Amino acid sequence: MKLWDKGFTIDQQIEKFTVGNDREIDMHIAKYDVQASLAHAVMLASIGIITKNELKDLKKGLQELADEIKNGTFIIEASFEDVHSKIEWELTDRLGAVGKKIHTARSRNDQVLVALHLYYKENLASIDSKVNVLFETLLKLADTHKKSLLPGYTHLQVAMPSSFGLWFSAYAELLIDDVYMLHAVAKVVDQNPLGSAAGYGSSFPIDRALTTKELNFATLKYNVVAAQLSRGKSERSIAAALGGLCNTMARFAMDVCLYMSQNFNFISFPDELTTGSSIMPHKKNPDVFELIRGKCNKIQALQTEILLITNNLPTGYHRDFQLLKENIINAFEDVKDILDIFNYAIQQVIVKDIDLNDEKYQYLFTVDSINNLVVSGMPFREAYQKIGEQVQTGTYTPDFGKQHTHIGSIHNLSLDKIREKYPK
């Protein structure tokens, strides 16, 4: 049941090692392999390799397989090496000789590559959509809690006044940078590699422009060697983009865990969203956000893993590339889940009233006090020294009334401008 079967039986121990868990991972790309096979069949008919009737049969057979994949009845038995061999076998079993023609003018190399590119394209778009949902949630929270003050910290020391509006909208705007990266990598994978075969093209007069159009790629990877060299490069780019997004979410999740702790006590969540301890009945643990943090940090490590697997590989296909598929697909699936659960949970955050008269926050407003003196005519360095002396002698009295009015500050969040900046 192998596309490269030449009539001999491979050693079972070797087969187990080389196949790995490809069958399970390939279920994620099964529908894309069917899509690409259909486009390839249309192209083969256009250049006379198969007849119109054979194309009709292949369309019917491929549609049946697409339906089975969608309905969850499609399986890849242990006798098959991967999804590609399974689909070709099914077409041959159902349609006869025409099923054996579907692989004409392509290699498993470009067959895998085009299926992965289609998977990457669709799932990058899905993640883009989910990021937009989280972005809108954060802006809504920022608007709702724009008047709720929050201590700001540097070096984990009380620093200057902030607000929940500023906090929520900060992470919303950071997501815009992540979307820029997602859009950039979407452009990288939106290039059709089909027709590059094993990396050196084909002697058949294939029409690569036709398959590019059929599969709705923006362009094709013209050079057939470049198409195969993109294996690994595309995954590194994707890992960088997903890692950047995960960095944003991991830092946000860390803030949530910190702010939920009793020592900060800035926010809480309904009991149903937290977990308890087996021996401490008072515990309300932010396990969701801890797992988000851990999963996001794991995904950030993926770029390094892919770099080490693919670094300095010479031109051409190498089996090392098989090792990229599992973790990049798992990363896509995890990021989609993380975005969903983050959006679900953060909507239910309970923002607490914080008493900024508390002694530990007494120096939050020292910068505002300095600025008051500057406005009255005192040079900045003298004002700094005067307030510093008051802090040292314990005579400092904070001014809670200073307004921060510039763009992007506590009292001017510019949420409309942030929303306007979001990439369309």
Side-chain angles (χ1 to χ4, degrees):
M1 306 296 184
K2 300 174 181 63
L3 297 181
W4 51 270
D5 182 20
K6 295 184 286 289
F8 61 84
T9 302
I10 190 171
D11 184 288
Q12 291 302 298
Q13 193 169 344
I14 295 296
E15 179 171 22
K16 181 179 179 181
F17 182 79
T18 55
V19 172
N21 62 343
D22 245 24
R23 284 182 288 268
E24 292 81 3
I25 297 299
D26 277 0
M27 289 301 297
H28 289 284
I29 63 170
K31 79 168 189 175
Y32 305 101
D33 192 79
V34 169
Q35 288 177 14
S37 294
L38 178 57
H40 187 66
V42 170
M43 187 277 295
L44 290 178
S46 75
I47 62 171
I49 297 295
I50 62 174
T51 67
K52 289 183 178 179
N53 284 336
E54 287 175 324
L55 174 60
K56 184 179 178 181
D57 289 342
L58 283 171
K59 283 184 174 180
K60 180 176 180 293
L62 288 166
Q63 185 57 56
E64 289 175 358
L65 290 172
D67 291 341
E68 290 171 17
I69 292 167
K70 185 177 181 179
N71 297 333
T73 57
F74 178 86
I75 59 172
I76 307 172
E77 294 87 350
S79 55
F80 293 98
E81 187 175 21
D82 52 33
V83 68
H84 317 292
S85 53
K86 164 69 173 180
I87 287 174
E88 183 172 323
W89 185 90
E90 287 289 349
L91 290 174
T92 302
D93 185 56
R94 300 177 191 200
L95 306 175
V98 68
K100 298 178 181 180
K101 295 184 178 183
I102 190 65
H103 202 60
T104 307
R106 69 176 178 179
S107 162
R108 187 166 59 166
N109 291 2
D110 65 337
Q111 187 176 357
V112 173
L113 196 50
V114 71
L116 285 171
H117 274 238
L118 291 170
Y119 171 86
Y120 296 154
K121 274 186 62 177
E122 186 168 302
N123 282 274
L124 283 167
S126 176
I127 286 172
D128 191 359
S129 177
K130 291 176 184 294
V131 171
N132 184 248
V133 171
L134 179 58
F135 171 82
E136 289 294 339
T137 293
L138 295 181
L139 285 191
K140 184 177 179 181
L141 286 168
D143 189 51
T144 300
H145 301 290
K146 60 188 176 186
K147 294 182 179 179
S148 301
L149 288 183
L150 174 71
Y153 293 82
T154 63
H155 307 274
L156 275 180
Q157 306 294 306
V158 169
M160 290 178 65
S162 181
S163 70
F164 282 99
L166 206 59
W167 182 52
F168 287 124
S169 58
Y171 281 104
E173 190 164 6
L174 282 180
L175 288 175
I176 294 176
D177 298 335
D178 299 324
V179 172
Y180 289 151
M181 293 294 291
L182 289 171
H183 286 187
V185 77
K187 197 167 185 179
V188 169
V189 301
D190 199 8
Q191 304 177 79
N192 180 23
L194 188 58
S196 58
Y200 300 97
S202 171
S203 59
F204 289 104
I206 57 176
D207 187 345
R208 298 188 66 209
L210 177 59
T211 57
T212 299
K213 183 179 179 182
E214 287 286 322
L215 292 171
N216 197 33
F217 280 106
T219 185
L220 57 81
K221 203 75 170 179
Y222 291 97
N223 185 293
V224 292
V225 175
Q228 286 301 321
L229 286 172
S230 71
R231 191 89 181 259
K233 187 178 181 69
S234 296
E235 285 79 6
R236 286 195 301 273
S237 301
I238 291 166
L242 295 183
L245 172 60
C246 284
N247 177 268
T248 300
M249 292 192 290
R251 294 179 70 182
F252 195 3
M254 179 62 218
D255 278 1
V256 169
C257 294
L258 202 64
Y259 291 176
M260 274 188 71
S261 71
Q262 289 90 339
N263 288 33
F264 285 83
N265 199 31
F266 296 159
I267 60 174
S268 186
F269 287 88
D271 290 348
E272 314 87 77
L273 270 65
T274 63
T275 62
S277 163
S278 62
I279 63 171
M280 295 173 284
H282 66 282
K283 295 294 292 296
K284 284 182 63 174
N285 299 326
D287 284 17
V288 166
F289 291 97
E290 291 174 347
L291 286 170
I292 287 172
R293 183 178 60 199
K295 285 174 178 284
C296 283
N297 290 339
K298 180 180 177 183
I299 291 167
Q300 288 180 77
L302 183 58
Q303 185 182 10
T304 301
E305 175 187 301
I306 293 173
L307 180 65
L308 291 174
I309 291 173
T310 61
N311 198 36
N312 297 334
L313 287 178
T315 297
Y317 176 79
H318 308 278
R319 194 64 181 261
D320 312 51
F321 291 134
Q322 178 180 322
L323 303 179
L324 306 179
K325 189 163 53 174
E326 178 176 3
N327 286 349
I328 198 72
I329 287 176
N330 285 342
F332 269 111
E333 301 304 317
D334 280 346
V335 168
K336 288 186 291 185
D337 288 343
I338 289 166
L339 284 164
D340 286 340
I341 198 65
F342 209 132
N343 185 67
Y344 175 78
I346 202 65
Q347 289 181 77
Q348 302 179 63
V349 66
I350 300 167
V351 170
K352 297 187 176 183
D353 291 328
I354 301 170
D355 182 10
L356 295 186
N357 290 302
D358 190 305
E359 184 180 354
K360 61 178 170 286
Y361 302 134
Q362 64 178 317
Y363 299 130
L364 267 178
F365 299 91
T366 57
V367 176
D368 288 345
S369 298
I370 292 170
N371 292 351
N372 285 337
L373 294 176
V374 171
V375 170
S376 68
M378 186 179 292
F380 173 82
R381 188 53 58 202
E382 290 181 18
Y384 175 89
Q385 291 168 348
K386 181 173 182 177
I387 298 300
E389 183 181 351
Q390 292 175 6
V391 169
Q392 292 299 319
T393 60
T395 59
Y396 172 73
T397 302
D399 175 8
F400 296 102
K402 192 73 172 176
Q403 293 289 299
H404 296 203
T405 58
H406 69 75
I407 291 174
S409 61
I410 304 173
H411 303 108
N412 185 4
L413 296 177
S414 305
L415 300 183
D416 56 334
K417 296 297 184 183
I418 295 174
R419 179 174 283 109
E420 187 179 309
K421 190 167 76 167
Y422 194 92
K424 303 296 186 293

